[in-house]
PDB file of all heavy atoms in Angstrom:
ATOM      1  N   ALA A1134      86.045  52.995 125.369  1.00 90.00           N
ATOM      2  CA  ALA A1134      87.011  53.726 124.545  1.00 90.00           C
ATOM      3  C   ALA A1134      86.280  54.688 123.600  1.00 90.00           C
ATOM      4  O   ALA A1134      85.146  54.421 123.189  1.00 90.00           O
ATOM      5  CB  ALA A1134      87.867  52.763 123.744  1.00 90.00           C
ATOM      6  N   TRP A1135      86.943  55.771 123.278  1.00 92.00           N
ATOM      7  CA  TRP A1135      86.396  56.710 122.290  1.00 92.00           C
ATOM      8  C   TRP A1135      86.495  56.127 120.891  1.00 92.00           C
ATOM      9  O   TRP A1135      87.496  55.499 120.534  1.00 92.00           O
ATOM     10  CB  TRP A1135      87.163  58.025 122.345  1.00 92.00           C
ATOM     11  CG  TRP A1135      86.795  58.913 123.497  1.00 92.00           C
ATOM     12  CD1 TRP A1135      85.580  59.010 124.109  1.00 92.00           C
ATOM     13  CD2 TRP A1135      87.660  59.830 124.155  1.00 92.00           C
ATOM     14  NE1 TRP A1135      85.628  59.938 125.112  1.00 92.00           N
ATOM     15  CE2 TRP A1135      86.889  60.455 125.165  1.00 92.00           C
ATOM     16  CE3 TRP A1135      88.993  60.195 124.003  1.00 92.00           C
ATOM     17  CZ2 TRP A1135      87.408  61.438 126.019  1.00 92.00           C
ATOM     18  CZ3 TRP A1135      89.523  61.171 124.837  1.00 92.00           C
ATOM     19  CH2 TRP A1135      88.737  61.777 125.842  1.00 92.00           C
ATOM     20  N   THR A1136      85.493  56.372 120.086  1.00 93.00           N
ATOM     21  CA  THR A1136      85.518  55.984 118.683  1.00 93.00           C
ATOM     22  C   THR A1136      85.790  57.217 117.842  1.00 93.00           C
ATOM     23  O   THR A1136      85.043  58.191 117.912  1.00 93.00           O
ATOM     24  CB  THR A1136      84.170  55.371 118.266  1.00 93.00           C
ATOM     25  OG1 THR A1136      83.900  54.227 119.086  1.00 93.00           O
ATOM     26  CG2 THR A1136      84.211  54.947 116.803  1.00 93.00           C
ATOM     27  N   PRO A1137      86.861  57.227 117.037  1.00 94.00           N
ATOM     28  CA  PRO A1137      87.165  58.389 116.217  1.00 94.00           C
ATOM     29  C   PRO A1137      86.154  58.565 115.094  1.00 94.00           C
ATOM     30  O   PRO A1137      85.331  57.689 114.852  1.00 94.00           O
ATOM     31  CB  PRO A1137      88.569  58.094 115.651  1.00 94.00           C
ATOM     32  CG  PRO A1137      88.643  56.605 115.670  1.00 94.00           C
ATOM     33  CD  PRO A1137      87.851  56.135 116.850  1.00 94.00           C
ATOM     34  N   ILE A1138      86.219  59.689 114.395  1.00 94.00           N
ATOM     35  CA  ILE A1138      85.348  59.969 113.263  1.00 94.00           C
ATOM     36  C   ILE A1138      85.993  59.398 111.999  1.00 94.00           C
ATOM     37  O   ILE A1138      87.175  59.665 111.726  1.00 94.00           O
ATOM     38  CB  ILE A1138      85.103  61.465 113.109  1.00 94.00           C
ATOM     39  CG1 ILE A1138      84.529  62.049 114.414  1.00 94.00           C
ATOM     40  CG2 ILE A1138      84.171  61.736 111.938  1.00 94.00           C
ATOM     41  CD1 ILE A1138      83.210  61.439 114.840  1.00 94.00           C
ATOM     42  N   TYR A1139      85.214  58.655 111.207  1.00 93.00           N
ATOM     43  CA  TYR A1139      85.756  58.024 110.009  1.00 93.00           C
ATOM     44  C   TYR A1139      85.290  58.731 108.748  1.00 93.00           C
ATOM     45  O   TYR A1139      84.176  59.268 108.683  1.00 93.00           O
ATOM     46  CB  TYR A1139      85.349  56.543 109.947  1.00 93.00           C
ATOM     47  CG  TYR A1139      86.153  55.684 110.876  1.00 93.00           C
ATOM     48  CD1 TYR A1139      85.777  55.538 112.210  1.00 93.00           C
ATOM     49  CD2 TYR A1139      87.310  55.050 110.447  1.00 93.00           C
ATOM     50  CE1 TYR A1139      86.528  54.783 113.085  1.00 93.00           C
ATOM     51  CE2 TYR A1139      88.064  54.268 111.306  1.00 93.00           C
ATOM     52  CZ  TYR A1139      87.678  54.138 112.621  1.00 93.00           C
ATOM     53  OH  TYR A1139      88.431  53.392 113.485  1.00 93.00           O
ATOM     54  N   VAL A1140      86.164  58.772 107.765  1.00 91.00           N
ATOM     55  CA  VAL A1140      85.909  59.363 106.473  1.00 91.00           C
ATOM     56  C   VAL A1140      85.727  58.238 105.459  1.00 91.00           C
ATOM     57  O   VAL A1140      86.537  57.291 105.410  1.00 91.00           O
ATOM     58  CB  VAL A1140      87.064  60.278 106.038  1.00 91.00           C
ATOM     59  CG1 VAL A1140      86.754  60.952 104.704  1.00 91.00           C
ATOM     60  CG2 VAL A1140      87.346  61.321 107.120  1.00 91.00           C
ATOM     61  N   LYS A1141      84.690  58.290 104.654  1.00 83.00           N
ATOM     62  CA  LYS A1141      84.480  57.273 103.629  1.00 83.00           C
ATOM     63  C   LYS A1141      85.664  57.234 102.670  1.00 83.00           C
ATOM     64  O   LYS A1141      86.224  58.304 102.329  1.00 83.00           O
ATOM     65  CB  LYS A1141      83.204  57.579 102.840  1.00 83.00           C
ATOM     66  CG  LYS A1141      81.944  57.423 103.681  1.00 83.00           C
ATOM     67  CD  LYS A1141      80.696  57.708 102.851  1.00 83.00           C
ATOM     68  CE  LYS A1141      79.437  57.533 103.711  1.00 83.00           C
ATOM     69  NZ  LYS A1141      78.213  57.806 102.942  1.00 83.00           N
ATOM     70  N   PRO A1142      86.131  56.066 102.278  1.00 82.00           N
ATOM     71  CA  PRO A1142      85.533  54.724 102.485  1.00 82.00           C
ATOM     72  C   PRO A1142      85.958  54.041 103.781  1.00 82.00           C
ATOM     73  O   PRO A1142      86.211  52.832 103.786  1.00 82.00           O
ATOM     74  CB  PRO A1142      86.016  53.969 101.267  1.00 82.00           C
ATOM     75  CG  PRO A1142      87.367  54.554 100.976  1.00 82.00           C
ATOM     76  CD  PRO A1142      87.271  56.002 101.336  1.00 82.00           C
ATOM     77  N   HIS A1143      86.098  54.809 104.839  1.00 87.00           N
ATOM     78  CA  HIS A1143      86.303  54.258 106.184  1.00 87.00           C
ATOM     79  C   HIS A1143      87.690  53.699 106.436  1.00 87.00           C
ATOM     80  O   HIS A1143      87.856  52.831 107.278  1.00 87.00           O
ATOM     81  CB  HIS A1143      85.234  53.216 106.515  1.00 87.00           C
ATOM     82  CG  HIS A1143      83.847  53.729 106.410  1.00 87.00           C
ATOM     83  ND1 HIS A1143      83.340  54.700 107.258  1.00 87.00           N
ATOM     84  CD2 HIS A1143      82.836  53.430 105.568  1.00 87.00           C
ATOM     85  CE1 HIS A1143      82.077  54.980 106.926  1.00 87.00           C
ATOM     86  NE2 HIS A1143      81.745  54.232 105.891  1.00 87.00           N
ATOM     87  N   ASN A1144      88.686  54.152 105.716  1.00 95.00           N
ATOM     88  CA  ASN A1144      90.058  53.784 106.055  1.00 95.00           C
ATOM     89  C   ASN A1144      90.860  55.011 106.486  1.00 95.00           C
ATOM     90  O   ASN A1144      92.081  54.963 106.559  1.00 95.00           O
ATOM     91  CB  ASN A1144      90.767  53.077 104.890  1.00 95.00           C
ATOM     92  CG  ASN A1144      90.966  53.964 103.678  1.00 95.00           C
ATOM     93  OD1 ASN A1144      90.124  54.833 103.402  1.00 95.00           O
ATOM     94  ND2 ASN A1144      92.056  53.777 102.967  1.00 95.00           N
ATOM     95  N   LEU A1145      90.157  56.101 106.810  1.00 96.00           N
ATOM     96  CA  LEU A1145      90.782  57.309 107.346  1.00 96.00           C
ATOM     97  C   LEU A1145      89.961  57.774 108.544  1.00 96.00           C
ATOM     98  O   LEU A1145      88.772  58.055 108.421  1.00 96.00           O
ATOM     99  CB  LEU A1145      90.860  58.410 106.295  1.00 96.00           C
ATOM    100  CG  LEU A1145      91.328  59.800 106.748  1.00 96.00           C
ATOM    101  CD1 LEU A1145      92.675  59.722 107.449  1.00 96.00           C
ATOM    102  CD2 LEU A1145      91.412  60.762 105.553  1.00 96.00           C
ATOM    103  N   ALA A1146      90.615  57.811 109.721  1.00 95.00           N
ATOM    104  CA  ALA A1146      89.949  58.199 110.962  1.00 95.00           C
ATOM    105  C   ALA A1146      90.624  59.433 111.547  1.00 95.00           C
ATOM    106  O   ALA A1146      91.829  59.624 111.371  1.00 95.00           O
ATOM    107  CB  ALA A1146      89.993  57.058 111.957  1.00 95.00           C
ATOM    108  N   VAL A1147      89.851  60.256 112.229  1.00 96.00           N
ATOM    109  CA  VAL A1147      90.431  61.467 112.832  1.00 96.00           C
ATOM    110  C   VAL A1147      89.865  61.652 114.228  1.00 96.00           C
ATOM    111  O   VAL A1147      88.705  61.374 114.499  1.00 96.00           O
ATOM    112  CB  VAL A1147      90.138  62.718 111.947  1.00 96.00           C
ATOM    113  CG1 VAL A1147      88.641  62.937 111.785  1.00 96.00           C
ATOM    114  CG2 VAL A1147      90.791  63.966 112.526  1.00 96.00           C
TER     115      VAL A1147
END
Side-chain angles (χ1 to χ4, degrees):
W1135 282 329
T1136 301
I1138 304 300
Y1139 283 86
V1140 182
K1141 293 181 180 180
H1143 303 294
N1144 65 326
L1145 173 54
V1147 60

